[in-house]
Amino acid sequence: MANTISDETMDYVGILAKLELNDREREQARRDMERMLDYIDKLNELDTTQVEPMMHVFPVKNVFREDVVTNSDEHENMLANAPRVREHAFVVPRTVE
């Protein structure tokens, strides 16, 4: 392992993540983070000069549909099912005092 994480860095990460680790968990977390950093170093060794940057692994184009209104004003029909109506709105029991 080329990457080593100091005790100070572990303390700082613990504060940021709001973690309270015992000695065994702390050592395991240190080893895991060191392995992650080693893996990132290995990925950085790859030649990516001919690789086009992408935002998504799949060739996704704009998947959003046009925002078109497809229903009509059913306001009166919806209120017809309400047990109580006042000023064109549903009346419901108060939940906050």
Side-chain angles (χ1 to χ4, degrees), residues 11-63:
D11 291 339
Y12 184 63
V13 170
I15 291 168
L16 290 176
K18 297 183 187 230
L19 294 175
E20 294 181 18
L21 303 174
N22 62 36
D23 290 340
R24 186 178 56 76
E25 294 168 331
R26 182 183 168 104
E27 199 52 44
Q28 181 62 44
R30 179 193 314 268
R31 285 194 302 269
D32 289 344
M33 287 191 285
E34 287 173 349
R35 281 199 315 261
M36 285 184 245
L37 292 174
D38 288 341
Y39 185 71
I40 291 169
D41 286 345
K42 188 156 192 76
L43 289 176
N44 285 334
E45 293 173 7
L46 295 172
D47 179 21
T48 58
T49 55
Q50 300 298 319
V51 178
E52 183 179 334
M54 64 177 117
M55 295 180 65
H56 200 280
V57 294
F58 300 112
V60 177
K61 301 295 181 216
N62 187 358
V63 295

Side-chain angles (χ1 to χ4, degrees), residues 62-70:
N62 187 358
V63 295
F64 298 111
R65 64 173 171 75
E66 288 294 319
D67 190 14
V68 179
V69 177
T70 58

Side-chain angles (χ1 to χ4, degrees), residues 75-76 78-79 82 84-91:
H75 187 75
E76 294 300 323
M78 287 187 286
L79 289 176
R84 294 179 52 208
V85 176
R86 182 175 41 205
E87 298 176 14
H88 306 291
F90 291 98
V91 176

